[in-house]
Amino acid sequence: MTDSVAPRKRILTGDRPTGRLHLGHYVGSLAKRVELQYQYDTILIIADLHMLTTRPSRDDIAEICENCRGLVLDYLAAGIDPDHVTIYLQSAVPETYELNLIFEMLVTVNRLSRIPSIKDMARAANLSDEEIPFGLLGYPVLQAADILLPRAHLVPVGKDNESHVELTREIARRFNALYGEVFPIPEVLVGDVPTLVGTDGKDKMSKSLGNCIFLCDDEQTVNKKVRGMFTDPKRISADIPGTVEGNPVFIYHDTFNPNKAEVEELKARYRAGRVGDVEVKEKLARALNNFLAPMRARYAKYQADTGLVDEIIVRGTQRMRAIAAETIHAVRSAMGLASTWNRLQRAAERRQKKLHPTLPTGDLS
Ligand code: ATP
Ligand code: MG
């Protein structure tokens, strides 16, 4: 890159290593990452510390390694190019913890208590209000540390994470106002389908709800899941006119079936009571399997390369550690924390020098 070319802007986003990625993850965030990976310096975080907010047991932690491997395979299958994208393990970058603590001073408990997703996450983890850990309340602060550690400009996430990026913007502004311009104010980028419904018709496809089609599901599994999908419950036979709006089968057709003429024709017949669920679902299953086919080919290719995903994570984490060190240096300098330490060190050295003039300098550092 020559000096005249401006450095690429940066993306930061990622996932918790709690299981495999599903179609909701894909349309909410992953598709944008794939689309923008050559335009932006893209960094993907495997957010294992975020998993600890609701699942801190040793058994949970023991699963992280295998889940990381599955997650990275899902990225590669979805079309992430490992030669261009940095993928790192959050807990292996200690500056994350440091920036998190500094940001905790810049946000009120009241502000965090108003973020709706915290309550949703607590509910999903079967925690009552009294049982919400401090770390779960602070989840969006840790996310701000993740986004601002690489000083990212753009954050592609699903709708449920939009309010967290808003908080990140507030923290970045507050830091810059207090200590000087260190952080860009990142923009959020919500995917084409902000929240994909589950196969059961519930608001959100979600691992914890068991209503997912996974990117790694094989053809038979997809066919079976689609056959069991929730449709218009009022329609007990094929000759009853059905509702298309809000019907998950048609939401998926609109999202994943590129044959728009087929979808419109099915909708017209569905509304008129002239098509059975079986045909609508068979055509959806075919569209989904076509959509997943190139991913299946990439799974086969990458899975055969033993150790590849591990190498990708290690390489990415090393790069991220270097980036994080630069940011923390800038943070400590801007805040004056670095100069406090330097002054103490220099004074201590002066005293030692006076007491032991023959000692080489730097022994106390
Ligand atoms: P799940 O919510 O399925 O248990 P998760 O909580 O482990 O998955 P997150 O880390 O919350 O996954 O999500 C990773 C990214 O995918 C986020 O940007 C999130 O907004 C997005 N996402 C997750 N589920 C959906 C969905 N159903 N529709 C759109 N985006 C989604
Ligand atoms: Mg979630």
Side-chain angles (χ1 to χ4, degrees):
M1 194 186 282
T2 64
D3 284 347
S4 60
V5 178
R8 279 186 308 166
K9 289 194 168 181
R10 199 167 264 167
I11 277 180
L12 184 290
T13 186
D15 305 274
R16 291 180 298 165
T18 50
R20 303 303 293 254
L21 294 182
H22 52 63
L23 292 175
H25 292 124
Y26 186 83
V27 294
S29 170
L30 195 46
K32 289 285 176 216
R33 308 178 199 175
V34 174
E35 186 186 321
L36 298 172
Q37 62 183 331
Y38 300 111
Q39 206 174 317
Y40 284 78
D41 175 14
T42 300
I43 302 181
L44 303 183
I45 176 174
I46 305 177
D48 56 341
L49 296 176
H50 283 282
M51 193 195 83
L52 301 185
T53 57
T54 53
R55 296 175 49 190
S57 78
R58 283 185 74 93
D59 285 348
D60 292 325
I61 294 169
E63 280 177 19
I64 292 177
C65 192
E66 266 320 298
N67 285 346
C68 285
R69 291 176 173 141
L71 185 60
V72 175
L73 265 180
D74 289 340
Y75 289 159
L76 301 180
I80 290 290
D81 179 345
D83 291 330
H84 281 86
V85 170
T86 298
I87 302 173
Y88 81 97
L89 182 63
Q90 182 189 29
S91 65
V93 179
E95 287 83 356
T96 306
Y97 308 71
E98 195 171 341
L99 196 58
N100 178 55
L101 184 130
I102 289 167
F103 286 172
E104 280 173 353
M105 313 305 164
L106 308 182
V107 62
T108 65
V109 172
N110 194 30
R111 173 73 178 87
L112 293 174
S113 313
R114 290 199 311 266
I115 295 179
S117 55
I118 306 290
K119 289 263 162 66
D120 293 344
M121 287 177 69
R123 214 171 304 124
N126 286 323
L127 296 170
S128 69
D129 281 2
E130 288 70 37
E131 291 169 322
I132 293 180
F134 178 55
L136 180 56
L137 185 67
Y139 186 104
V141 181
L142 182 56
Q143 224 172 34
D146 300 333
I147 295 166
L148 296 175
L149 195 55
R151 292 186 261 188
H153 305 90
L154 191 69
V155 190
V157 282
K159 182 85 185 155
D160 58 342
N161 270 280
E162 208 174 13
S163 61
H164 301 177
V165 183
E166 188 48 48
L167 183 81
T168 301
R169 291 162 60 83
E170 289 170 27
I171 290 176
R173 280 198 209 98
R174 180 136 170 77
F175 184 99
N176 290 350
L178 279 173
Y179 308 117
E181 293 286 323
V182 170
F183 297 110
I185 310 300
E187 303 281 340
V188 68
L189 179 68
V190 174
D192 294 340
V193 181
T195 308
L196 186 71
V197 289
T199 51
D200 57 358
K202 291 217 180 89
D203 287 349
K204 194 183 160 217
M205 181 176 282
S206 171
K207 270 171 300 197
S208 30
L209 297 175
N211 59 5
C212 305
I213 293 177
F214 293 98
L215 304 184
C216 61
D217 279 345
D218 61 22
E219 201 170 326
Q220 287 71 33
T221 309
V222 169
N223 293 344
K224 187 161 169 250
K225 285 182 178 177
V226 171
R227 271 200 302 276
M229 268 184 80
F230 179 88
T231 53
D232 181 347
K234 294 189 297 297
R235 219 168 157 259
I236 41 175
S237 68
D239 54 358
I240 299 177
T243 305
V244 163
E245 287 69 32
N247 184 329
V249 175
F250 283 100
I251 292 174
Y252 288 17
H253 261 299
D254 281 332
T255 311
F256 300 104
N257 189 344
N259 186 346
K260 298 299 161 213
E262 178 179 87
V263 175
E264 288 315 310
E265 192 262 347
L266 281 176
K267 281 183 184 174
R269 285 202 283 138
Y270 196 83
R271 287 192 180 105
R274 283 192 293 109
V275 65
D277 278 0
V278 173
E279 184 183 340
V280 180
K281 286 180 171 178
E282 265 172 13
K283 288 186 168 147
L284 176 61
R286 196 186 320 133
L288 286 174
N289 281 316
N290 285 341
F291 173 79
L292 294 173
M295 297 195 198
R296 288 176 186 144
R298 284 191 288 260
Y299 275 119
K301 173 179 145 198
Y302 287 118
Q303 246 157 353
D305 194 340
T306 313
L308 173 73
V309 292
D310 306 65
E311 197 185 305
I312 290 169
I313 300 170
V314 170
R315 215 181 335 117
T317 304
Q318 281 161 349
R319 174 172 186 238
M320 186 56 203
R321 281 180 176 168
I323 293 171
E326 272 176 39
T327 300
I328 286 297
H329 180 76
V331 163
R332 293 177 66 89
S333 301
M335 293 177 75
L337 294 172
S339 83
T340 304
W341 177 240
N342 288 342
R343 273 157 59 195
L344 293 170
Q345 244 183 338
R346 277 199 305 273
E349 266 173 22
R350 276 198 300 275
R351 179 171 182 275
Q352 283 298 307
K353 199 118 196 116
K354 218 187 276 170
L355 292 176
H356 314 284
T358 52
L359 252 188
T361 41
D363 268 18
L364 271 176
S365 52

